[in-house]
Amino acid sequence: MERVKSESGYTLLITLGLIMMMMLFMFAFTRIAVSQKAQVEKTDTSIVTTALAEMGAEYYKEQIISDINSMIVTTTQEMQAIKNQNLGYTALTAEMQELAAEKNNALSLYYASNYYVEQTTTPAEMKAGYTTLVESPGRGYRLIERSSFDPATETLSLKVVGFTEDEESEPIQVDLKVPSQLMWQGDKTENFTSTFTFQEYATKNFEGTKVESNAVSMPSGNSYNFTSHEFYYFTQGAVFNHQQFGDGASLDGINVLSGGTLTFNKHVEIADSKIIGKTINVDFSSKAQTEISNSRIIANRLNITKSTDSEDVDPITGNINNAQKVDFQGNSSICLIRNPDTTTAETYALNIENLKKVLLFKDTSKLIYKKPDNYWYYYELGVERVVPLPQNSNAIVLDACNFMLEGTETLKVYEAYDPDNMRISDVIYQ
């Protein structure tokens, strides 16, 4: 009987132990379940906030790209408006430089601003506007940081977070590859047709330009190979002792600049040409009629002579018989500009009078010169007239004394940033 009672006590202890163990297991399982539920909820919230951050990163990225592209479009439109004015290269470049300074400065100011960044004054309970887009109450994204623009890498960095009512995501960083400037003078070129003085034209190396760096002296019987519509620059001057090319003009449709004395001797004719030199000597050594036709000549001193017999000269007046003068015809002009360092006023006046005698003025040909009163005069068909005021800008003086040549240059021009070439880097998760 006592043995039975003893075994009953053991059974009770075992039963109590089993109950205790079951309760412990149930408690542990409950804790695990509750913990897993909390973890799932936390993970779900993290996924939501990260997704919101990604949406925000895309939003701010596209907003900034849109702003920059808008600036690019405006810039290219204003550049085109300047080009449409058909300015010369110098004026065009000046206008473009001014526009580039304005537009590039505006871009720098845009990069320096914190326009999209959440401000400290934004209420915590409702972050809105450009800084946050709230999709539903208590959920959204905001730009918490934007780096300064790095000109070395042309990079602008953004940090964006997403948030819910209870949690905020880790920042997502976006690196934007953006232009450092809107306009610049790069390697792009265009053709520009401009007018140049003879001195400017000589330095441009245009096709058809021949520069003789040494003094040229062609012996009698040898002809220099002048080609129509080309430009010749004799830096040290030149002497041509034989210059007749069949029935055509010796100088036909050419442009000549001389840095020294330029001399043409024997059988020369000048047609449709332009000649500039300090001292120019022209000897029409022929009894036959010779001519300067539709040509322009500018010189400090111009000596024109014509070989004649004594019977061709009036012994009293010294005038040459018209048949032995040089025909000065068409729309020709001679502009005589005195250099006070090399020519006295008396020599200059004598030069003018000699030209009046040897030239047979026809059509609208003119001799342009200055008198001691410092006024320009022109001599036409045997009549001397003063050039109308304002003299230096008068068409007669400009046409005879300031003629230019046209040339086409390939020059660098300003370029604008192309929005199609903007490179946007991947989003970096931190």
Side-chain angles (χ1 to χ4, degrees):
M1 193 69 179
E2 288 182 0
R3 184 177 178 182
V4 172
K5 287 181 180 179
S6 177
E7 289 178 355
S8 296
Y10 282 118
T11 301
L12 179 61
L13 288 173
I14 291 170
T15 301
L16 289 172
L18 289 172
I19 292 171
M20 288 286 293
M21 289 179 64
M22 290 178 65
M23 290 180 67
L24 287 173
F25 280 124
M26 288 178 64
F27 180 74
F29 287 140
T30 301
R31 286 196 60 186
I32 291 171
V34 170
S35 177
Q36 286 181 338
K37 179 182 179 183
Q39 185 65 38
V40 169
E41 289 177 349
K42 183 176 178 63
T43 301
D44 288 345
T45 302
S46 178
I47 292 173
V48 170
T49 57
T50 300
L52 288 169
E54 291 175 355
M55 290 172 61
E58 189 66 22
Y59 171 78
Y60 295 118
K61 180 182 76 173
E62 293 302 323
Q63 188 65 46
I64 291 175
I65 293 172
S66 176
D67 285 347
I68 295 174
N69 280 351
S70 178
M71 297 173 74
I72 291 170
V73 169
T74 301
T75 299
T76 54
Q77 288 173 344
E78 294 185 26
M79 288 177 68
Q80 189 60 48
I82 293 174
K83 290 181 67 175
N84 290 343
Q85 297 177 36
N86 295 319
L87 302 172
Y89 180 73
T90 301
L92 177 66
T93 301
E95 292 270 359
M96 289 296 186
Q97 283 177 336
E98 184 177 345
L99 182 65
E102 174 191 335
K103 295 300 180 181
N104 292 337
N105 182 59
L107 184 65
S108 297
L109 291 175
Y110 175 78
Y111 288 156
S113 72
N114 57 0
Y115 185 58
Y116 297 105
V117 182
E118 176 185 337
Q119 305 299 307
T120 56
T121 56
T122 305
E125 66 273 13
M126 179 56 73
K127 303 180 187 303
Y130 277 111
T131 60
T132 300
L133 180 66
V134 178
E135 294 188 320
S136 60
R139 295 191 174 196
Y141 47 78
R142 62 178 178 270
L143 182 61
I144 61 171
E145 183 181 328
R146 194 188 74 177
S147 70
S148 298
F149 174 71
D150 185 353
T153 60
E154 295 187 320
T155 301
L156 195 67
S157 296
L158 312 177
K159 285 187 179 180
V160 183
V161 295
F163 60 88
T164 64
E165 299 86 339
D166 305 314
E167 189 173 340
E168 184 173 279
S169 73
E170 289 295 318
I172 288 180
Q173 179 172 316
V174 184
D175 293 330
L176 288 86
K177 198 79 171 178
V178 292
S180 58
Q181 53 188 344
L182 294 174
M183 285 179 62
W184 65 93
Q185 192 167 28
D187 295 327
K188 184 179 178 182
T189 60
E190 291 184 12
N191 292 330
F192 290 86
T193 300
S194 306
T195 54
F196 305 94
T197 66
F198 270 43
Q199 288 75 12
E200 291 170 337
Y201 196 94
T203 65
K204 296 295 182 179
N205 296 320
F206 289 119
E207 184 179 356
T209 297
K210 184 168 186 178
V211 178
E212 297 280 5
S213 56
N214 299 316
V216 174
S217 182
M218 299 298 295
S220 182
N222 292 70
S223 298
Y224 188 85
N225 186 28
F226 283 109
T227 303
S228 293
H229 307 298
E230 294 196 351
F231 181 89
Y232 296 85
Y233 179 29
F234 303 103
T235 62
Q236 306 297 320
V239 178
F240 304 100
N241 287 299
H242 182 84
Q243 206 57 41
Q244 179 164 340
F245 303 143
D247 296 330
S250 301
L251 305 178
D252 187 3
I254 66 166
N255 299 291
V256 178
L257 171 66
S258 178
T261 299
L262 185 63
T263 299
F264 296 96
N265 290 323
K266 190 178 181 181
H267 305 306
V268 67
E269 292 185 23
I270 302 172
D272 300 305
S273 297
K274 296 177 179 178
I275 305 172
I276 297 179
K278 295 178 180 178
T279 298
I280 301 176
N281 302 311
V282 183
D283 179 16
F284 293 90
S285 53
S286 171
K287 292 193 67 174
Q289 274 196 315
T290 50
E291 65 181 40
I292 299 174
S293 176
N294 294 311
S295 297
R296 304 277 192 276
I297 299 174
I298 299 176
N300 300 137
R301 184 169 183 174
L302 175 60
N303 302 312
I304 295 180
T305 56
K306 178 86 180 285
S307 297
T308 59
D309 296 329
S310 58
E311 63 268 18
D312 297 320
V313 180
D314 189 307
I316 299 176
T317 64
N319 291 334
I320 303 172
N321 185 300
N322 280 353
Q324 293 304 310
K325 288 184 177 182
V326 176
D327 284 339
F328 189 45
Q329 61 191 26
N331 187 29
S332 295
S333 67
I334 294 172
C335 180
L336 208 60
I337 305 174
R338 186 173 81 90
N339 183 348
D341 296 330
T342 59
T343 307
T344 65
E346 292 76 16
T347 303
Y348 180 72
L350 183 60
N351 194 177
I352 294 170
E353 293 308 312
N354 286 339
L355 290 173
K356 290 178 181 178
K357 290 178 181 179
V358 75
L359 296 172
L360 181 58
F361 290 81
K362 297 180 178 180
D363 307 318
T364 59
S365 58
K366 296 178 180 65
L367 172 63
I368 317 295
Y369 50 89
K370 271 188 176 181
K371 284 191 171 183
D373 60 10
N374 211 33
Y375 277 87
W376 285 101
Y377 289 79
Y378 68 99
Y379 187 81
E380 181 180 27
L381 296 175
V383 179
E384 181 183 79
R385 297 180 178 89
V386 65
V387 173
L389 297 172
Q391 290 205 316
N392 287 335
S393 60
N394 186 276
I396 295 173
V397 175
L398 291 176
D399 185 55
C401 305
N402 297 278
F403 50 77
M404 313 282 279
L405 289 179
E406 233 182 41
T408 300
E409 296 178 287
T410 302
L411 301 169
K412 289 185 177 181
V413 296
Y414 272 83
E415 299 179 63
Y417 199 85
D418 180 2
D420 293 335
N421 292 329
M422 289 186 70
R423 302 174 302 279
I424 306 302
S425 66
D426 294 332
V427 175
I428 301 173
Y429 295 95
Q430 292 191 338

